[in-house]
């Protein structure tokens, strides 16, 4: 918002100006302007701001060298400002080498080296444009104390505005009146036309005026409200899985008859995620000693455990089948993943039947194979071949995680069948993190959601220079293989194509053979929606899908009315019960009154 002379209306606010302010809506005036290239450049500078502690600063500084220079300048300026009273840093006064504004709508970033994945980073929130005046507005004294911050009240150019932000109750998005109005797409993937997802081709978006996200503290009321039509879409929890979904003898998923009768639809997708059980490669038992023979024995031990832990059974029992057993760190749908026989982990599985997934299937190797590897590792029947000492494997976890009783019992059973003793070591979260950072854990359960659809964002989790203990990176297994690391450095700078696929195949083969992880499963996302919700398509990587969705309001109103007709017979039954309880008492009271009256008349006549 600006004054008549063009200056910002709400800059230089005093304590008196803010005394009655409790939310962004307490500022009467608002304003808008078009997006400029300078807004993008301003946000890139913010990555180096010492107050913000951006989690991608170190990574981006490798490719935008000017970031480190700017960070040093801002840190020195901040220290000087603190000594003089703490003035806010003005990023406009500092240049960022390698990033420049060309004109109002163009800017240039010059990278050091090749990094094709940088295009994905540009589409993530770290690079969302931030106007300079927004930074200055929220940086004023007294704003943060009132939750008036950019992370609480974002400013942007999207189809919706956040008009109510109470995460403990509800959040409300309203249509942005200044939105540019994108047309609905006319092209899509195979099957989109048949699914009716392209029927609104060319129509201006968004279609919905107001989006309300409510927090339900209990699962049962939330599920009942969805079934009554008061929520348009819902996930599927374990408690409601059998009510919503049925599984065929072939493991195929379908909606239950009750859901189909209501016109509810089921959307499924495989998440770009991997859940894994990591081996700490610094552990002398699981990682091996310095000699090649010791490392070979430890590798066979990891392979034996990888075969013995039946992840298909785990997914069936604890996830209601909502997971795909993992063959490598790369989920299906990400470049580098294979289907059918070419995609299996040959150390843990063997292929049965035809070459494709339609004609064949992966079969987990037998427990006899795991026992053979365990014996070759020097632990026949789970005991040291030389000393007879039992093999004890410890799972480090936090309470409420994989250490829950049922899952721990299942794991113990799997290890016991192999002849190995299994111990769960639960600790609080901070202590668990210390164990991981210091390399004191042995076995641990982790997961990773891909930030962008590229194998580099998953394979880096086992890159040696990302080791947790040595470099405080994301490689919690502390795995290091010189050949893998060399291939990773080549692969990450290559565009997708046959040459890159060949390198990825070799990297995956190394991981499958070395087995630093048990590639547990890739989760499946299940979502339910009512028939009046249109243009909704699952996508774990895409976050801006609300603008595409449309609602058939009349159909929703009719369904709510039909599903929530007042049921009056219980009231009539209660009334009859109450009448049945009252009637005897009333009759008894009347008989007593009449008897008392008759007795009174007789006594009176005698005295007369």
């Amino acid at each position: 918002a600006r004054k008549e002379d063009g200056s910002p209306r709400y800059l230089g606010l005093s304590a008196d100006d803010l005394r009655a302010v409790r939310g962004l809506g307490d500022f009467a005036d608002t304003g808008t302007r078009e997006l400029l290239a300078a807004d993008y450049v301003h946000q890139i500078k913010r990555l180096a701001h010492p107050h913000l502690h951006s989690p991608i600063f170190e990574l981006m500084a490798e490719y935008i060298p000017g970031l480190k220079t700017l960070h040093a300048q801002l840190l020195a300026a901040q220290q000087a400002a603190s000594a003089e009273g703490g003035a806010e840093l003005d990023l406009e006064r500092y240049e960022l080498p390698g990033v420049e504004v060309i004109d109002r709508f163009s800017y240039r970033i010059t990278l050091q080296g090749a990094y094709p994945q940088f295009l994905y980073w540009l589409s993530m929130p770290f690079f969302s444009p931030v106007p300079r005046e927004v930074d200055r507005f929220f940086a004023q004294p007294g704003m943060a104390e009132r939750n008036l911050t950019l992370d609480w009240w974002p400013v942007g150019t999207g189809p919706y505005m956040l008009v109510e932000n109470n995460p403990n109750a509800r959040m409300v998005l309203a249509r942005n009146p200044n939105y540019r109005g994108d047309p609905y797409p006319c092209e899509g993937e195979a099957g989109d036309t048949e699914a009716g997802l392209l029927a609104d081709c060319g129509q201006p978006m968004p279609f919905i005026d107001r989006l309300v996200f409510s927090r339900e503290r209990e699962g049962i009321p939330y599920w009942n409200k969805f079934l009554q039509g008061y929520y348009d879409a819902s996930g599927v929890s374990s408690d409601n899985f059998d009510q919503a979904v049925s599984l065929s003898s072939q493991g195929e998923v379908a909606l239950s008859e009750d859901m189909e009768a209501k016109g509810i639809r089921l959307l499924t997708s495989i998440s770009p995620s991997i859940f894994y059980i990591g081996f700490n490669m610094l552990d002398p038992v699981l990682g091996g000693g310095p000699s090649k023979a010791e490392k070979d024995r430890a590798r066979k031990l990891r392979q034996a455990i990888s075969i013995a832990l039946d992840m298909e059974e785990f997914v069936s029992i604890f996830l209601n089948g909502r997971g795909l057993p993992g063959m490598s760190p790369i989920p299906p749908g990400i470049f580098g993943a294979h289907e059918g026989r070419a995609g299996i982990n040959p150390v843990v599985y063997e292929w049965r039947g035809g070459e494709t997934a339609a004609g064949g299937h992966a079969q987990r190797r037998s427990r006899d194979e795991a026992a053979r590897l365990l014996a070759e590792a020097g632990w026949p029947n789970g005991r040291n071949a030389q000393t007879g000492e039992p093999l004890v494997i410890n799972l480090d976890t936090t309470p409420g995680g994989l250490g829950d009783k049922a899952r721990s019992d299942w794991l113990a059973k799997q290890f016991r069948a192999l002849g190995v003793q299994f111990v769960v070591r639960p600790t609080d979260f901070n202590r668990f993190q210390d164990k991981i950072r210091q390399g004191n854990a042995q076995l641990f359960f982790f997961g990773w959601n891909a930030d962008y659809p590229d194998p580099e964002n998953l394979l880096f989790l086992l890159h040696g220079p990302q080791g947790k203990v040595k470099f405080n990176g994301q490689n919690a297994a502390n795995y290091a293989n010189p050949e893998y690391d060399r291939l990773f450095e080549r692969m990450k700078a290559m565009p997708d194509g046959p040459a890159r696929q060949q390198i990825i195949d070799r990297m995956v083969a190394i991981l499958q053979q070395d087995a630093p992880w048990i590639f547990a499963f890739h989760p499946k996302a299940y979502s339910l929606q009512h028939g009046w919700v249109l243009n909704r398509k699952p996508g774990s990587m895409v976050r801006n899908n609300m603008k595409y969705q449309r609602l058939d309001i009349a159909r929703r109103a009719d369904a709510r009315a039909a599903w929530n007709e007042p049921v009056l017979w219980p009231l009539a039954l209660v009334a009859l019960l109450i009448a049945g309880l009252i009637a005897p008492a009333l009759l008894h009271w009347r008989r007593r009154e009449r008897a008392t009256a008759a007795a009174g008349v007789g006594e009176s006549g005698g005295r007369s």
Side-chain angles (χ1 to χ4, degrees):
R2 295 188 177 273
K3 301 177 183 177
E4 290 74 10
D5 60 2
S7 62
R9 181 173 296 279
Y10 296 120
L11 278 186
L13 298 175
S14 64
D16 289 339
D17 295 328
L18 293 174
R19 183 166 287 112
V21 173
R22 293 294 177 268
L24 205 64
D26 292 329
F27 295 99
D29 297 325
T30 61
T32 185
R33 66 166 175 82
E34 65 180 348
L35 178 64
L36 301 176
D39 301 321
Y40 285 94
V41 174
H42 182 82
Q43 166 56 19
I44 299 174
K45 290 181 179 180
R46 293 178 81 245
L47 297 178
H49 199 300
H51 268 167
L52 299 179
H53 306 292
S54 172
I56 67 165
F57 169 75
E58 293 294 339
L59 175 63
M60 290 298 109
E62 295 180 20
Y63 301 101
I64 309 176
L67 276 177
K68 287 189 176 179
T69 302
L70 178 59
H71 177 75
Q73 293 175 343
L74 294 175
L75 189 60
Q78 183 188 57
Q79 293 171 349
S82 298
E84 297 175 3
E88 178 64 23
L89 296 178
D90 185 0
L91 297 180
E92 298 300 313
R93 296 172 50 194
Y94 299 88
E95 295 296 324
L96 175 55
V99 181
E100 57 181 322
V101 175
I102 299 174
D103 55 41
R104 286 174 60 83
F105 305 117
S106 306
Y107 68 103
R108 178 187 291 116
I109 302 176
T110 303
L111 298 182
Q112 177 174 285
Y115 187 41
Q117 296 80 15
F118 189 74
L119 291 175
Y120 292 126
W121 285 103
L122 289 178
S123 69
M124 295 174 68
F126 304 108
F127 288 88
S128 298
V130 174
R132 176 193 179 194
E133 59 266 34
V134 171
D135 247 355
R136 295 172 63 194
F137 171 77
F138 285 123
Q140 297 178 94
M143 301 291 274
E145 290 83 348
R146 293 166 170 80
N147 270 345
L148 294 175
T149 57
L150 184 59
D151 59 348
W152 199 265
W153 295 106
V155 175
T157 63
Y160 293 102
M161 304 183 300
L162 183 63
V163 296
E164 183 179 337
N165 187 8
N166 183 0
N168 290 321
R170 72 176 197 163
M171 302 171 74
V172 180
L173 302 178
R175 182 195 291 267
N176 180 1
N178 303 299
Y179 185 60
R180 61 188 178 274
D182 285 341
Y184 190 87
C186 295
E187 297 179 358
E189 295 179 316
D192 284 351
T193 300
E194 293 77 7
L197 292 172
L198 300 179
D200 287 320
C201 164
Q203 296 297 315
M205 300 184 295
F207 298 107
I208 301 173
D209 292 328
R210 193 174 179 86
L211 304 169
V212 180
F213 300 88
S214 300
R215 181 182 180 185
E216 293 283 353
R217 299 183 182 276
E218 300 292 338
I220 293 177
Y222 163 73
W223 178 248
N224 288 337
K225 289 179 183 179
F226 170 71
L227 295 181
Q228 291 172 317
Y230 293 111
Y231 287 139
D232 298 307
S234 170
V236 184
S237 69
S238 298
D239 295 337
N240 304 317
F241 188 83
D242 292 337
Q243 184 180 354
V245 176
S246 61
L247 295 174
S248 68
S249 57
Q250 290 77 30
E252 297 178 352
V253 178
L255 273 175
S256 66
E257 294 182 0
D258 291 341
M259 298 295 107
E260 288 186 342
K262 285 179 170 286
I264 294 172
R265 287 180 288 175
L266 173 67
L267 305 179
T268 63
S269 63
I270 298 176
S271 301
S273 310
I274 175 73
F275 283 86
Y276 63 91
I277 299 176
F279 298 102
N280 179 14
M281 301 296 285
L282 300 180
D283 181 79
V285 175
L286 297 177
S291 70
K292 183 178 184 302
E294 290 174 313
K295 291 186 182 301
D296 287 344
R297 286 196 295 268
R299 184 181 68 251
K300 290 182 178 181
L301 172 59
R302 296 192 300 271
Q303 291 175 350
I305 296 174
S306 298
I307 294 172
L309 296 190
D310 190 343
M311 283 298 120
E312 289 82 2
E313 184 177 303
F314 180 92
V315 169
S316 175
I317 294 174
F318 299 107
L319 300 176
N320 296 107
R322 290 177 291 178
L324 192 69
M327 302 292 175
S328 79
I330 307 176
I334 303 292
F335 180 83
H338 288 289
E339 295 183 358
R341 184 169 191 165
I344 71 166
N345 180 353
V347 173
V348 179
Y349 294 87
E350 52 187 348
W351 188 258
R352 303 284 179 85
E355 296 293 318
T356 65
H361 68 280
Q363 178 69 44
R364 180 174 291 272
R365 293 186 180 274
S366 68
R367 187 161 275 120
D368 291 340
E369 180 77 5
R372 181 186 64 80
L373 288 168
L374 188 66
E376 291 178 4
W379 299 94
N381 299 316
R383 290 189 173 272
N384 190 298
Q386 298 177 350
T387 66
E389 175 187 5
L391 174 59
V392 180
I393 299 296
N394 301 293
L395 173 71
D396 290 280
T397 184
T398 55
L402 196 61
D404 281 349
K405 185 68 168 60
R407 294 174 181 172
S408 297
D409 290 346
W410 180 87
L411 282 170
K413 178 183 176 183
Q414 302 289 308
F415 277 101
R416 190 164 52 248
L418 196 59
V420 177
Q421 296 184 24
F422 175 73
V423 177
V424 176
R425 299 192 299 198
T427 57
D428 63 71
F429 181 77
N430 291 334
R431 175 62 182 145
F432 173 74
Q433 291 295 322
D434 287 340
K435 282 187 174 184
I436 297 295
R437 282 192 292 265
Q438 297 167 12
N440 293 329
Q442 194 172 37
L443 210 63
F444 55 89
F445 187 83
F446 268 15
W448 183 264
N449 297 314
D451 297 300
Y452 45 85
D454 191 273
E456 179 259 356
N457 191 238
L458 294 142
L459 296 176
F460 92 106
L461 295 169
L462 289 159
H463 187 214
Q466 279 285 333
K468 178 67 71 175
V469 173
K470 288 186 178 180
F471 306 104
N472 197 29
Q474 294 296 335
N475 181 358
N478 299 294
Y479 172 71
N481 181 301
E483 182 186 0
Y484 180 89
D485 292 344
R486 287 194 300 270
L487 292 172
F488 178 84
E489 294 296 341
R490 289 178 54 192
M491 179 276 303
K492 73 175 186 177
M494 297 175 67
D496 291 347
R500 194 182 196 212
Q501 181 69 66
Q502 187 176 5
I503 291 178
I504 292 172
D505 290 344
R506 176 55 189 159
M507 294 174 66
V508 168
I510 292 172
L511 295 179
Q512 291 169 340
Q513 186 67 25
D514 284 350
W517 289 358
I518 297 173
F519 309 110
F521 60 90
H522 307 292
K524 287 183 180 179
Y526 281 47
S527 176
L528 299 172
Q529 68 177 45
H530 285 290
W532 57 76
V533 181
L534 307 172
N535 303 337
R536 186 168 179 261
K537 187 176 181 178
S540 300
M541 199 67 68
V542 179
R543 306 296 184 188
N544 67 334
N545 53 9
M546 294 304 305
K547 70 178 181 180
Y548 300 95
Q549 296 183 32
R550 182 165 62 84
L551 299 176
D552 187 336
I553 301 298
R555 183 177 175 184
R556 180 171 68 178
D558 292 342
R560 284 181 178 176
W563 297 342
N564 298 284
E565 289 183 354
V567 181
L568 301 179
W569 67 263
L571 295 178
L573 179 61
V574 170
L576 288 174
L577 289 174
I578 293 174
L581 293 172
I582 294 176
L586 183 61
L587 291 173
H588 177 73
W589 176 80
R590 292 190 64 182
R591 283 197 300 268
R592 182 179 178 183
E593 287 294 309
R594 289 174 178 172
T596 303
V601 170
E603 291 173 0
S604 175
R607 287 193 297 271
S608 63

